[in-house]
Amino acid sequence: MKPPEHFNGTTGEGELNPGYEEETRRKISIVSNDIERKISSISMPKSILVNGDNLSHLSHEHPTSIPSDHHASFAYRDDEDIKNSWWYLLCTKCRQKETGPGWEPTFWQSVCPYPFCPTYRHVARVFALLLLVILAWGVVYAILGKESAPGGQLFDIAILCICAHIGGWFFRMIALPPLVGMLLVGIVFRNVGFIEIHSPYNELVSVLRKIALVNILIRAGLDLDSEAMKRLWLTVLKIGLLPWILECGIVLVLTHYFLGLPWMWGLLLGSIVAAVSPAVVVPCLFRLRNKGYGVAKGIPTLIIAISGIDDAASVAAFGIIHSIMFSSNSLYFEVLLGLLSIVVGILFGILWGVLASYIPEKDDPFVVPLRILILLGGGLISVLGSDLVGLGGAGPLGCIAAAFLSVYAWTKQGWDVEDNPVATAFEIFWMIFEPILFSLTGAQIKISEMDPNITGIGAAILITAIVLRIIFTILVAFGASLNLKEKIFCGLSLMSKASVQAALGPVALEIVRGRDGPEPGYATIVALICVMSILLSAPVGAILIIFTGSKLLTKTEVPVVPDGWRRSARPSLRDISITDDFSMCGDSIITQRQSMVTEQPKWDHREGD
């Protein structure tokens, strides 16, 4: 029997592309599983494939035909030095992993052999994005004219964001969070003199930062698993809020006595710095979970939920404190207004979440784009509108509440938490706004104006607060059915700062810019320490999660799916790569290819196709 039309010349796991990731939710027939067992039982000398057109023989254009004499076109060579060389490993590292079956021209492997060139899909994707950027620039130039031409302020901002994306890619290749590279690109551009944002574009930057904040909050709400929250709600609140309060208080006290910040400015800074970053935590936990670490006890669920609650607390507290500080009303009135903000935010989130649950109708053929637009529009109105009416703390709470209730209702209507196309759309939005957010945040820092004394004291305060938070998290986690190693891992996982700090750190500086008095100096200190918190904690936190996870968490050899935990990881559009296995680059791929040619297995259709 011929292989099915969708077959790509492998054992049912996709195209012959070592960058390909198996789709986690599809079903594979018993025959395909037998083939895999036969392949795994064959042993071969370690070698690499040196024939330049290795993949062109298994034509992606004609996946249903494999010539019987195909083995004659393979050539092997024992060369461990080449396979383990730095340039070979670098090439395999740089190749982006793909999800799902793909297609490439028959000549592609001859022109761009593995692993020295990216896949055709990746090249085509980058080229498509480049075309979109050029078209967008052309439209903007036709509307705005010289401001979008080289030398104009808008053109400089666009170049900054593009370079930030490249900087993030480079940092991902050297096993660090890409957001750190984006932040550093912004700092370099500002201090070299490539960019200096001035009015009226300060308002544009502020709006972009708020849109990025909406994206962060909605993603946090969509990542909350309702079934897991039912089981873990008390633990989530305990580990999420108590260490947050402690870290906020430590930053408040230490910045007041050692940096001279007034109490309200210290409280504002503490409410920002205490937030945990899902942008760092979530991808690292997905990588550990896919390897089976911590799955049995649902530890990834716990930490992801904590990071979402933690962010909600930070943004809501910031909104209330911000309103009190920069309002001319009395303190008592502002406190009551803050409490009203919490109530209004939750009520708006419930109302919008219920609305998004039933409108549009779940079987509407346009249900996906409509749900995306409704949730995005509700989030923007929540954040921008709450600022407009003076209820700054209401908007963030409304975003998270609406997203959580929406995904809860959509799950009941048949959407799996991991197969939620709305969440995937917001991952795409984050690809756009991540370099914008972090590069513009870095562009706020001018090194020549930094006081070395303030920088040193600020770093010491941050390290002290983070260490004490880790210790306190371990203590608070008692009674959560975790052993000591797992509690230590939870403490280390909740130290990373990034998204909230970048979104909120420069806000006060934008408000007081140009004023007389000490306030601009206080706002500069707040923005500086927020940037330092990202640089100090994001790379260290990501590395600790990956490298301590395999030591501190129990690995489940046979996949176990506890109640309330997600069954599969949604394809990640932006991933933090700390460690990668290169075993797919050599022996296993060659073994699969030769086995496919020599055994001539019988093909069967996969179940469900």
Side-chain angles (χ1 to χ4, degrees), residues 41-316:
S41 66
I42 298 176
S43 60
M44 290 181 57
K46 292 186 175 181
S47 58
I48 63 171
L49 190 62
V50 297
N51 191 343
D53 58 351
N54 45 32
L55 293 183
S56 62
H57 291 285
L58 296 180
S59 173
H60 290 267
E61 289 185 301
H62 305 285
T64 60
S65 60
I66 301 177
S68 59
D69 60 345
H70 181 71
H71 62 280
S73 65
F74 287 109
Y76 302 99
R77 177 159 59 97
D78 290 324
D79 199 340
E80 288 293 332
D81 292 336
I82 293 179
K83 194 178 74 171
N84 295 323
S85 62
W86 66 268
W87 51 268
Y88 187 93
L89 296 179
L90 180 62
C91 289
T92 55
K93 176 72 173 178
C94 292
R95 287 178 67 92
Q96 188 178 69
K97 289 186 177 180
E98 307 292 353
T99 302
W103 173 90
E104 63 184 23
T106 55
F107 63 83
W108 187 257
Q109 287 301 320
S110 299
V111 178
C112 297
Y114 172 85
F116 311 111
C117 298
T119 62
Y120 174 77
R121 176 187 291 182
H122 191 200
V123 172
R125 181 187 302 157
V126 172
F127 186 69
L129 292 174
L130 179 61
L131 286 178
L132 291 175
V133 169
I134 294 173
L135 291 173
W137 176 80
V139 172
V140 173
Y141 180 78
I143 297 172
L144 299 179
K146 64 179 182 179
E147 281 297 318
S148 57
Q153 182 80 97
L154 193 59
F155 184 84
D156 292 342
I157 293 175
I159 293 298
L160 170 65
C161 296
I162 293 172
C163 292
H165 182 84
I166 296 172
W169 172 84
F170 175 76
F171 266 67
R172 187 165 61 252
M173 290 304 101
I174 62 174
L176 289 175
L179 55 89
V180 178
M182 298 171 186
L183 190 69
L184 290 176
V185 167
I187 295 174
V188 170
F189 266 59
R190 174 64 188 275
N191 290 275
V192 172
F194 288 164
I195 191 170
E196 184 170 356
I197 300 171
H198 50 74
S199 182
Y201 289 95
N202 286 323
E203 184 65 27
L204 172 64
V205 170
S206 177
V207 172
L208 290 174
R209 189 175 288 112
K210 289 177 181 178
I211 296 174
L213 178 63
V214 170
N215 193 297
I216 294 167
L217 295 170
I218 292 179
R219 288 189 67 196
L222 293 175
D223 277 333
L224 295 177
D225 191 327
S226 58
E227 295 299 324
M229 289 293 292
K230 288 180 182 178
R231 297 186 296 108
L232 303 171
W233 69 270
L234 182 59
T235 302
V236 168
L237 292 178
K238 181 173 64 174
I239 302 179
L241 296 181
L242 295 181
W244 182 90
I245 294 171
L246 175 73
E247 186 173 9
C248 180
I250 292 171
V251 172
L252 164 64
V253 173
L254 293 182
T255 53
H256 176 74
Y257 286 108
F258 290 97
L259 291 179
L261 286 182
W263 287 109
M264 288 302 296
W265 280 94
L267 186 59
L268 183 76
L269 176 59
S271 67
I272 302 173
V273 169
V276 178
S277 173
V280 176
V281 171
V282 173
C284 296
L285 288 173
F286 276 160
R287 293 182 66 82
L288 283 176
R289 193 209 68 183
N290 290 340
K291 295 179 181 179
Y293 291 106
V295 174
K297 290 188 178 180
I299 293 175
T301 301
L302 177 66
I303 297 175
I304 291 171
I306 289 171
S307 66
I309 296 297
D310 196 277
D311 277 6
S314 285
V315 179

Side-chain angles (χ1 to χ4, degrees), residues 535-548:
L535 295 175
L536 289 174
S537 67
V540 175
I543 292 171
L544 285 177
I545 291 174
I546 293 297
F547 286 101
T548 62

Side-chain angles (χ1 to χ4, degrees), residues 35-46:
I35 296 170
E36 291 178 13
R37 285 194 292 270
K38 291 178 181 179
I39 289 174
S40 62
S41 66
I42 298 176
S43 60
M44 290 181 57
K46 292 186 175 181

